[in-house]
Amino acid sequence: MSSTLTTPQNKIEAVLKNLGIQELNSGVGTGATWLAGEGELIESRSPVDGALIGSVRGASQKEYAAVRVTAEKAFTEWRTWPAPKRGEVVRQLGEELRKHKSDLGKLVSYEMGKSYQEGLGEVQEMIDICDFAVGLSRQLHGLTMHSERPDHRMYEQWHPYGLVGIITAFNFPVAVWCWNTALAWVSGDVCLWKPSEKVPLCSIACQHIAAEVFKRNGVPEGVSVVINGGREVGEWLANDTHIPLVSATGSTRMGKAVSAAVGQRLGRSLLELGGNNAIIISDKADLDMSLIGAVFGAVGTCGQRCTSTRRLIIHDKVYDSFKTKLVKAYGQLRIGDPLDEKNHVGPLIDKGAVAMYQNALKAAKEQGATILVEGGVLSGDDHESGCYVKPAIVEAKPEMTIVQEETFAPILYLLRYSGDINEAIAIQNGVKQGLSSAIMTQDLREAERFLSAAGSDCGIANVNIGTSGAEIGGAFGGEKETGGGRESGSDAWKAYMRRQTNTINYGSSLPLAQGIKFDL
């Protein structure tokens, strides 16, 4: 079944053509092959101007079962490829992404709503993780251990799991997929991707790019599978006993549902969920540096990053002076079309997100908070989609319910502290989420305390940079209701493989461990 495709105001007509998606068949593919798409019709509307970009058909349960079988068949061959050869395929994917960086970045910006610069940055993350994975393909190492038995050797090795389900959110519509696939593919796994139904065209573009590389290298059909659809597709992945690992990025509510379903069948889940991230502004901070980190962290991607700064914990000695700087900076923000590089802030993803933003500001007022910089929904020709909002600043207290929650919008809560660094850390840690955190200070002791076991309880803890902008070299993820998973760099590759311990007896007798005697 063919799907419709429009090019409102010709904003991205050339982009769609260059990415090979000017003609859409469906949102269900196994590589170069696209199924009919017998599921629900998914419309992609740009939050930039409210226009319909295109519509695709998602998967039916029958089609889901079919692509899963294709993936299983592909795995039996793909796992036998030497890891460096798989790495070479990923290297070529990185090169192809370099060619398409501008076009894919523009599509990300238009379909999701983040600034064009952030769209380019997201594609660069994909390129970076491909580079990382190429080197990793020659370093999937195990350990060699000494045996207590004579003429024995012990070692461990790592094997691919098989099928990896990947569920991604709208805010990073391409990078998170690549964080997972680049590592999973060099590990020997095959991937089934359920993208957010709010950004289906980004997933189709990625599949086209990958399919071209795979075709050149003879990669079996089914190593890369994309399955567009609604919530039910995620449920199929989570409950499928043929899929040993499900990686899910999104809300805590979604993650709990995925974890329960996967855990019930004793599968494994890799979860990267919500964040309620804070920057501590010490009285010993460089306030100009702190301002840059705080403003970008709070308004970048219109507050829709999982690492967005939600709370500023400011020492009483610098509270008023920093507040003055912050309010002035907010007055200089330009809000509008994210493809216009003069603008700082684009739209929220849709009107549902706008409603959550409005409800959060209302709740803050009801709970006794003071609105320092008023929010509101923008209208007019430059904001015709109804998804543009003003970044707001709210003076609040740490214990307020709304401060304890994550609102995926540009709302920044200012919180005071007057004691030492331990008071600030307690406020920072006093929420259910544990993703990203930061401290601004020129004091070595404060910095080291923040990074110590008695400091931040988050998966990411920064000094003199903000909460956003993680590099792929380090493992990305957090604790508590953030889910505990780790993606991207460091040794995150181990999440995509199973460990096997091997013992080899090269002697002429069979001694038993622990000195046990069993004579016949």
Side-chain angles (χ1 to χ4, degrees):
M1 179 180 294
S2 296
S3 303
T4 62
L5 184 67
T6 61
T7 50
Q9 304 173 23
N10 293 320
K11 283 188 175 181
I12 57 165
E13 182 176 10
V15 168
L16 297 171
K17 184 177 181 180
N18 292 341
L19 293 171
I21 56 175
Q22 69 271 27
E23 296 292 335
L24 298 178
N25 295 316
S26 80
V28 189
T30 57
T33 302
W34 293 87
L35 280 66
E38 298 171 350
E40 66 176 296
L41 183 69
I42 303 170
E43 290 188 342
S44 175
R45 289 191 176 274
S46 172
V48 174
D49 52 21
L52 176 68
I53 312 173
S55 57
V56 298
R57 285 282 176 186
S60 65
Q61 193 160 10
K62 179 181 177 182
E63 287 177 314
Y64 169 82
V67 298
R68 202 272 319 287
V69 169
T70 301
E72 288 180 307
K73 183 178 179 182
F75 175 60
T76 61
E77 178 183 343
W78 183 240
R79 66 186 175 187
T80 67
W81 285 39
K85 185 178 179 182
R86 298 192 296 254
E88 168 59 17
V89 175
V90 173
R91 185 195 67 79
Q92 292 179 36
L93 175 61
E95 290 301 309
E96 203 69 20
L97 287 168
R98 284 177 170 86
K99 296 177 187 176
H100 291 289
K101 180 177 177 179
S102 177
D103 288 321
L104 187 55
K106 193 166 289 186
L107 177 59
V108 167
S109 177
Y110 188 63
E111 189 174 31
M112 183 268 149
K114 65 176 59 176
S115 74
Y116 178 49
Q117 282 298 315
E118 289 184 85
L120 292 175
E122 183 168 348
V123 181
Q124 186 61 48
E125 283 193 65
M126 302 173 77
I127 295 167
D128 292 345
I129 196 65
C130 285
D131 289 350
F132 179 89
V134 174
L136 181 65
S137 68
R138 294 180 182 271
Q139 300 178 68
L140 301 174
H141 54 77
L143 299 173
T144 298
M145 291 79 73
H146 287 278
S147 174
E148 66 184 61
R149 289 166 284 183
D151 298 333
H152 281 59
R153 181 166 70 89
M154 292 177 62
Y155 68 97
E156 66 179 25
Q157 58 181 332
W158 295 81
H159 296 304
Y161 267 128
L163 276 61
V164 174
I166 302 170
I167 301 171
T168 59
F170 73 84
N171 59 334
F172 279 83
V174 296
V176 175
W177 167 74
C178 209
W179 284 3
N180 283 273
T181 54
L183 299 191
W185 284 336
V186 298
S187 298
D189 298 312
V190 302
C191 299
L192 295 87
W193 180 22
K194 190 278 181 203
S196 168
E197 57 269 35
K198 297 180 181 182
V199 283
L201 300 189
C202 284
S203 69
I204 294 170
C206 289
Q207 184 75 347
H208 274 283
I209 293 170
E212 181 63 29
V213 174
F214 283 16
K215 183 179 179 181
R216 290 200 303 261
N217 289 273
V219 175
E221 189 84 5
V223 170
S224 179
V225 175
V226 61
I227 315 169
N228 273 284
R231 178 179 177 178
E232 68 282 355
V233 176
E235 293 173 346
W236 297 338
L237 284 171
N239 288 285
D240 193 338
T241 57
H242 297 86
I243 299 178
L245 172 65
V246 176
S247 173
T249 302
S251 69
T252 296
R253 177 186 56 79
M254 179 277 292
K256 287 181 177 179
V258 169
S259 178
V262 175
Q264 193 274 335
R265 58 179 178 84
L266 297 181
R268 293 176 180 264
S269 54
L270 193 166
L271 303 175
E272 198 281 286
L273 311 175
N276 193 349
N277 315 295
I279 300 176
I280 296 172
I281 312 291
S282 164
D283 59 324
K284 304 174 185 68
D286 179 326
L287 297 188
D288 290 334
M289 180 188 293
S290 302
L291 184 67
I292 296 170
V295 175
F296 176 73
V299 308
T301 322
C302 201
Q304 295 173 114
R305 292 185 176 213
C306 48
T307 54
S308 289
T309 305
R310 312 289 178 201
R311 300 173 293 147
L312 289 185
I313 304 166
I314 310 171
H315 196 282
D316 193 62
K317 289 181 180 178
V318 296
Y319 185 92
D320 290 333
S321 58
F322 190 75
K323 180 174 73 171
T324 299
K325 287 177 175 286
L326 195 63
V327 171
K328 182 179 179 181
Y330 267 55
Q332 298 171 350
L333 293 174
R334 292 186 295 273
I335 308 167
D337 185 341
L339 292 174
D340 182 345
E341 296 187 60
K342 295 179 181 178
N343 292 322
H344 299 104
V345 184
L348 290 172
I349 185 65
D350 55 27
K351 291 182 178 178
V354 173
M356 286 191 288
Y357 159 85
Q358 292 174 308
N359 290 337
L361 288 176
K362 180 182 177 182
K365 291 179 181 178
E366 291 173 347
Q367 293 170 28
T370 300
I371 308 299
L372 184 62
V373 173
E374 288 285 345
V377 182
L378 297 173
S379 59
D381 293 341
D382 294 333
H383 310 103
E384 57 190 324
S385 69
C387 296
Y388 292 89
V389 301
K390 299 177 184 177
I393 301 177
V394 180
E395 292 185 285
K397 295 182 178 180
E399 64 272 15
M400 289 179 177
T401 302
I402 192 63
V403 177
Q404 295 284 315
E405 299 172 354
E406 178 191 36
T407 301
F408 231 50
I411 301 174
L412 181 62
Y413 299 105
L414 306 190
L415 313 173
R416 287 179 184 260
Y417 78 102
S418 57
D420 62 12
I421 187 60
N422 295 311
E423 179 188 353
I425 290 172
I427 296 172
Q428 140 68 36
N429 292 346
V431 294
K432 295 179 180 179
Q433 308 85 356
L435 179 52
S436 187
S437 59
I439 185 171
M440 297 292 185
T441 182
Q442 299 298 304
D443 186 291
L444 178 63
R445 289 178 175 175
E446 285 191 332
E448 290 295 335
R449 170 64 66 176
F450 181 73
L451 299 176
S452 74
S456 169
D457 63 2
C458 294
I460 299 169
N462 300 326
V463 176
N464 291 328
I465 62 172
T467 59
S468 284
E471 299 179 27
I472 62 92
F476 182 88
E479 303 303 325
K480 300 188 291 189
E481 287 198 353
T482 301
R486 293 296 186 275
E487 296 171 315
S488 192
S490 185
D491 65 348
W493 63 271
K494 292 180 179 179
Y496 304 91
M497 305 191 80
R498 59 183 177 87
R499 188 196 312 246
Q500 185 181 80
T501 300
N502 307 116
T503 306
I504 299 173
N505 178 2
Y506 57 88
S508 57
S509 61
L510 185 60
L512 301 179
Q514 293 85 48
I516 295 174
K517 300 295 183 182
F518 188 76
D519 298 324
L520 294 176

